[in-house]
Amino acid sequence: MSCENAVRRLSEYRRILCKLKALGFTKVFSDHLAGAIDVSPALVRKDFADFGLTGNRKSGYSVGELIDKLNRILLKEHTEEVIMVGCGGIGRALMNYNGFAGEGIRITAGFDSNPDLQNCDAAIPVLDISRLEVYINSHRIRTAIMTVPETYAGTMADRLAAAGIRAILNFSPITLKNLPGCFIRNVNFLYELENVIYFSAQDTPE
Amino acid sequence: MSCENAVRRLSEYRRILCKLKALGFTKVFSDHLAGAIDVSPALVRKDFADFGLTGNRKSGYSVGELIDKLNRILLKEHTEEVIMVGCGGIGRALMNYNGFAGEGIRITAGFDSNPDLQNCDAAIPVLDISRLEVYINSHRIRTAIMTVPETYAGTMADRLAAAGIRAILNFSPITLKNLPGCFIRNVNFLYELENVIYFSAQDTPE
DNA sequence: AGCAAATGAATATAAAAATATCGATAAAAA
DNA sequence: TTTTTATCGATATTTTTATATTCATTTGCT
Ligand SMILES: NC(=O)c1ccc[n+]([C@@H]2O[C@H](COP(=O)([O-])OP(=O)(O)OC[C@H]3O[C@@H](n4cnc5c(N)ncnc54)[C@H](O)[C@@H]3O)[C@@H](O)[C@H]2O)c1
Ligand SMILES: NC(=O)c1ccc[n+]([C@@H]2O[C@H](COP(=O)([O-])OP(=O)(O)OC[C@H]3O[C@@H](n4cnc5c(N)ncnc54)[C@H](O)[C@@H]3O)[C@@H](O)[C@H]2O)c1
């Protein structure tokens, strides 16, 4: 999948734009956005062109219009329902985080094999993993966050894909490849840390 | 900083190599490593060449030697001491994680402004934020993980850099730019989720 | 209305990243 | 020893990504 970086920039643009809107701005120029996320104005325009976001010569882009269109592209017109698979340390931190709600993302349920963690009455219910497929199907869930131990990550991804999940955000330290019909993005804290530690020893990280 | 991706791949190579070593392998070929992390053999060889890792024509690379050299490059010859700034939901999940110890990374202390979270006697002591500078200095800490609220992220990064921190892994949702002498890597869960959600709606994510 | 200034849109260029090619060479086989 | 074969190492090519440039249009001013 090639345009991951471009989509990431869309998220960044959107974030800046929302702040501008809150400040009362109605127009914005490629130049300004470029400065805010540290790329060239040309890239901003190209990103926008690639995703069908248009502006007006001389008067720039409309903040409100951009946000609306970005919301459509990033599936933010309706709340996106996501499930959490594995409700240990990281899983719970994410479930307790209240920053997603305002961004049109809701974690609607968690799943875990450990009965001690299961709780149907919690704000976000944690269900037994055996109920995974039925839940995905009945709630038409397309996206999952996966925070199970490494050992189970591979088979769990297969299981999620088979159950109809179309995309997985994987936090386990094994790098999973996309499955047919299911996009997988891996987040590996160890690699992030190693990266940061590497650069801590480089000259003039600038 | 351009070679972030290459350094990330070094982490990935290292991970695979350690597994191979555990299985008893002593030799490995660019072809095999390439398949494992889904790149071309040519890239593996180029990465290795760029970082001074050499092999032998016909007989490939020595697993043990590669690991040793990667350990040197990734600063894994001695345990790297890291601090956690902000010990809320995410901070504690990371502090409780036991997967870093085996990888030569140790979170030696946490810092928080909330007295309720402070605890000098915990396995990883959580100290008042006012003790940050002295600690960094006396323990010669170079790397910090930052999990404070967005509002404080910018000034805290400045403060860390001023205190001598050379690299920061920032989890707050504001994208920080590198400071003079201090590399910053941003991890933004919201962007990751938005990315994954975007691709969940694309055709044949493959 | 006419003109100048500014900016998006389209295109061209450059830079970076990844891949392919191919000769050299070490190891194994004949 | 000679031949064969497999793989690295270096270089060239391709592909992708980002930046510059050019052009046309809109806006606001006189
Ligand atoms: N916590 C961190 O800071 C951190 C850092 C780096 C990587 N990780 C990775 O993230 C993942 C989760 O980490 P964690 O600290 O939350 O671990 P954890 O052990 O606290 O949580 C894992 C959870 O998955 C559940 N689980 C196990 N098998 C399951 C299955 N088959 N079906 C459903 N649930 C199952 C467990 O019951 C547990 O609650 C791990 O792969 C870990 O390596 C975590
Ligand atoms: N938890 C998540 O899943 C998640 C997801 C996305 C982004 N984030 C971001 O990560 C950061 C941390 O998230 P969290 O859920 O752990 O939040 P949190 O509120 O639980 O933790 C933040 C901690 O920082 C401490 N703090 C505040 N100001 C401080 C200061 N000046 N000095 C030292 N400590 C200070 C607070 O006392 C608190 O303990 C936030 O920026 C959040 O937006 C978290």
Side-chain angles (χ1 to χ4, degrees), chain A residues 90 92-100, chain B residues 85-92 111-114 117 129 146-153 156 159 170-174 187-190:
Chain A
I90 267 282
R92 263 211 305 281
L94 287 161
M95 289 166 83
N96 290 335
Y97 183 60
N98 57 13
F100 296 138
Chain B
V85 181
C87 303
I90 266 284
R92 262 210 305 283
F111 295 88
D112 205 291
S113 55
N114 181 349
L117 298 177
I129 189 69
M146 193 168 72
T147 56
V148 296
E150 175 181 4
T151 333
Y152 304 103
M156 185 58 77
R159 185 170 167 186
N170 168 45
F171 282 88
S172 91
I174 187 168
V187 174
N188 190 314
F189 290 145
L190 177 60

Side-chain angles (χ1 to χ4, degrees), chain A residues 88-90 112-113 117 147-149 152 156 171-173 189, chain B residues 93-94 97:
Chain A
I90 267 282
D112 206 291
S113 55
L117 298 177
T147 56
V148 296
Y152 304 103
M156 185 58 77
F171 282 87
S172 91
F189 290 144
Chain B
L94 286 160
Y97 182 61

Side-chain angles (χ1 to χ4, degrees), chain B residues 5-21:
Chain B
N5 288 340
V7 177
R8 166 103 5 96
R9 286 196 297 273
L10 294 191
S11 283
E12 297 208 54
Y13 297 136
R14 184 179 168 281
R15 181 183 169 80
I16 305 285
L17 289 165
C18 288
K19 295 202 171 175
L20 288 178
K21 189 181 185 185

Side-chain angles (χ1 to χ4, degrees), chain B residues 114-142:
Chain B
N114 181 349
D116 297 341
L117 298 177
Q118 295 164 16
N119 179 358
C120 299
D121 306 322
I124 302 175
V126 176
L127 311 175
D128 187 79
I129 189 69
S130 63
R131 297 173 61 183
L132 185 68
E133 282 79 4
V134 170
Y135 188 95
I136 289 171
N137 212 266
S138 61
H139 288 74
R140 306 203 178 291
I141 305 289
R142 288 189 313 197

Side-chain angles (χ1 to χ4, degrees), chain A residues 11 15 150 185 192 194, chain B residues 11 15 150 185 192 194:
Chain A
S11 283
R15 180 183 170 80
E150 175 181 4
R185 173 145 184 89
E192 301 295 344
E194 285 181 356
Chain B
S11 283
R15 181 183 169 80
E150 175 181 4
R185 171 142 187 93
E192 301 295 343
E194 285 182 357

